[in-house]
Amino acid sequence: MNPSSEHPFSQGLRTERVGEPCAMVIFGASGDLSHRKLLPALYNLSLSGVLPANFAVVGFAKDEFSQESYRTEMKKAVAEHSRRKPLDEEVWGDFAAGLDYVSGSFEDLASFQKLKAALERADQERGTRGNRLFYCAVPPSVMPLILKQLSAAGLVQNRGKGKPWSRIILEKPFGHDTESARELNACVHEVFAESQVYRIDHYLGKETVQNLMVFRFGNSIFEPIWNRQFVDHVQITAAEDIGVERRGAYYEEAGILRDMVQNHLMQLLSLTAMESPVAMDADAVRDEKVKVLRAIRPVLREEVQQYTVRGQYARGAYHGKAAAAYREEERVAKDSRMATFAALKLYVDNWRWEGVPFYLRTGKRLPKRVTEISVHFQRLPHALFGAMQGEAARNVLAIRIQPDEGISMRFNSKVPGEGMRVRTVNMDFRYGQAFGAEPPEAYERLLLDSMIGDATLFTRADEVDTAWRLVTEILEGWKEWPSDPSFYEAGSWGPQAAEDLIGADGRHWRRL
Ligand code: BG6
């Protein structure tokens, strides 16, 4: 593109942050995540010129690939899933020259010795300087074994500033309840110090999620009204139109609470409710987020019917086509009670938020994919222009996380003409229009941060633990809930019970 024809706001958008030389090892290198997210993200970093020049990737999995066939397989994956198309052959060629593969088993220490040899080769041929970035794209049950073998093979080092470093990135889910997460944390800490650990929640890598902090702490006009004196309630919705697809077996283990609430929704809630950190560094930001999680009033197991809704999709329609019920999906029990939808009413018991409900809802097979945080302000103290009903009654600030990323403010305006008719209008900010640039994928940002050593957008051990404690209590309550979940038609906005949860307080879900 001719620089003079660039969108004016896109100038200066390029970050000058470049990763440190390192070799990245991907455990689970032949899996779905590597194909759809990790390799495309690395390629895009390379395309943006921010991948370190001295960089190598060593894939590790049990499938039999040669170095050549792994490169071919990944080229196909990147060509299909990269956000920027078509594939740039030259950039791919440079990137692929540093792409290696080790076929091995997690049980077998000799496989880790092979990995060690591949990494030493990378140091010599690619100049990766002994720096290691391990990525566990595997289920949490396998992670302890990997950690043990890494340590036994002498692959982990942390000799201090200026010396070769090792870091580990752990994919979600991080455990499946409080106890398992604690056990996993203990295994991790036997081998790595917390400062070397990067627990991924890809929502934190989304531009709009990071912008929440800029919006709140980079402007002076919102802070004075961001509290219980002005806010009536907050809604957080993460809706997906897809069903569980081929992940029936995983979903039967996880369900919506573990898959979406413990991590993504809790992150959105803490960023919305947190106090300003003292600095934009990893510890300061995460300290404030943990304080919010600790202030959330736990929903006790005997209270789940009052504060939560547990839904599951029944047959319905999806984009005009018939959609199967969850119980009819592959590898799902015919009488499964697993939730594919959850709605929660939570309170954050601190000075800022006392008495302000936070309504959360998330589900599969809803009418569309949309994630939004909306802050609903209090009603007018006095109805000067007549009683305002429904939507018109409150100002709403909506932060659209995805898609159509942006922020909109709803307020009332005079309808042109004689008389004093009032109507609700929106003031909109749209990312795409304002910056003329497509935001990078969350994984790009997170991988780059881990290469730089910035853990701000990763989840700390105490954060994970606090979120699990809240969710585990609800999971226990749901286990004891004797009835089936509330069914909802695929393609609808969830069960009636979700409307009732918010309706009982005289409020309603925002129409999205
Ligand atoms: C993942 C969940 O963490 O997030 C999936 O495991 C879900 O079930 C996905 O579909 C949603 O991510 P995004 O970025 O599409 O909102």
Side-chain angles (χ1 to χ4, degrees), residues 26-29 31 33-34 38 135-139 143 169 171:
I26 304 178
F27 295 111
L33 191 74
S34 301
L38 301 183
Y135 198 116
C136 285
V138 294
M143 290 178 188
I169 308 179
E171 233 335 297

Side-chain angles (χ1 to χ4, degrees), residues 42-253:
L42 290 171
Y43 161 78
N44 273 285
L45 288 176
S46 170
L47 202 57
S48 306
V50 292
L51 205 60
N54 301 332
F55 181 72
V57 178
V58 183
F60 184 109
K62 59 177 176 307
D63 304 65
E64 288 294 337
F65 282 111
S66 65
Q67 186 192 63
E68 221 26 67
S69 61
Y70 187 64
R71 287 179 184 174
T72 312
E73 171 82 7
M74 287 304 132
K75 183 175 181 182
K76 257 197 293 175
V78 170
E80 186 181 344
H81 298 291
S82 164
R83 69 183 164 93
R84 287 181 283 196
K85 294 187 170 77
L87 189 86
D88 182 318
E89 291 288 344
E90 202 181 322
V91 172
W92 172 258
D94 286 349
F95 173 76
L99 188 54
D100 201 355
Y101 184 80
V102 169
S103 156
S105 133
F106 299 139
E107 280 85 25
D108 176 24
L109 186 57
S111 304
F112 284 77
Q113 304 292 3
K114 263 199 309 188
L115 175 63
K116 193 173 187 183
L119 288 169
E120 283 163 2
R121 237 177 8 250
D123 285 340
Q124 276 161 19
E125 292 169 10
R126 307 280 301 176
T128 45
R129 303 193 197 160
N131 294 334
R132 312 280 182 249
L133 186 60
F134 299 106
Y135 198 116
C136 285
V138 294
S141 55
V142 189
M143 290 178 188
L145 182 57
I146 296 179
L147 289 159
K148 193 178 118 214
Q149 301 287 43
L150 282 177
S151 165
L155 276 162
V156 181
Q157 48 199 351
N158 192 26
R159 302 205 199 106
K161 221 172 160 42
K163 301 273 173 48
W165 50 256
S166 303
R167 298 176 190 141
I168 188 159
I169 308 179
L170 301 164
E171 233 335 297
K172 73 163 266 273
F174 193 82
H176 65 272
D177 56 14
T178 312
E179 207 179 303
S180 59
R182 283 186 183 161
E183 281 166 14
L184 185 51
N185 264 334
C187 291
V188 171
H189 290 151
E190 269 174 34
V191 184
F192 290 92
E194 179 63 23
S195 60
Q196 295 172 280
V197 184
Y198 293 70
R199 294 175 197 80
I200 283 231
D201 181 322
H202 78 281
Y203 265 53
L204 291 177
K206 292 181 190 278
E207 284 284 325
T208 38
V209 174
Q210 293 161 48
N211 191 45
L212 250 172
M213 278 191 281
V214 177
F215 181 75
R216 289 197 52 204
F217 307 127
N219 295 294
S220 59
I221 58 171
F222 303 111
E223 170 57 24
I225 54 169
W226 209 261
N227 57 45
R228 67 189 172 83
Q229 278 167 308
F230 294 89
V231 176
D232 176 75
H233 72 282
V234 177
Q235 297 185 18
I236 303 181
T237 299
E240 292 186 276
D241 51 358
I242 52 169
V244 295
E245 317 253 270
R246 301 221 178 114
R247 300 199 303 159
Y250 157 74
Y251 221 78
E252 282 284 272
E253 292 279 312

Side-chain angles (χ1 to χ4, degrees), residues 369-388:
R369 176 173 182 256
V370 52
T371 303
E372 189 196 81
I373 300 167
S374 53
V375 180
H376 300 244
F377 292 92
Q378 287 180 10
R379 286 171 189 275
L380 288 176
H382 175 59
L384 202 52
F385 307 107
M388 289 180 193

Side-chain angles (χ1 to χ4, degrees), residues 238-308:
E240 292 186 276
D241 51 358
I242 52 169
V244 295
E245 317 253 270
R246 301 221 178 114
R247 300 199 303 159
Y250 157 74
Y251 221 78
E252 282 284 272
E253 292 279 312
I256 196 84
L257 274 185
R258 295 186 177 93
D259 190 47
M260 293 292 289
V261 177
Q262 187 272 341
N263 33 67
H264 309 326
L265 267 78
M266 286 297 164
Q267 289 295 339
L268 296 182
L269 194 161
S270 29
L271 288 166
T272 308
M274 73 194 265
E275 299 299 318
S276 166
V278 290
M280 265 312 286
D281 64 46
D283 273 328
V285 170
R286 296 187 297 180
D287 284 349
E288 295 306 330
K289 280 168 43 195
V290 174
K291 281 191 209 162
V292 173
L293 293 173
R294 287 182 53 197
I296 296 176
R297 190 187 308 165
V299 174
L300 303 177
R301 57 191 76 180
E302 56 276 16
E303 294 172 331
V304 290
Q305 302 198 28
Q306 189 184 344
Y307 289 102
T308 75

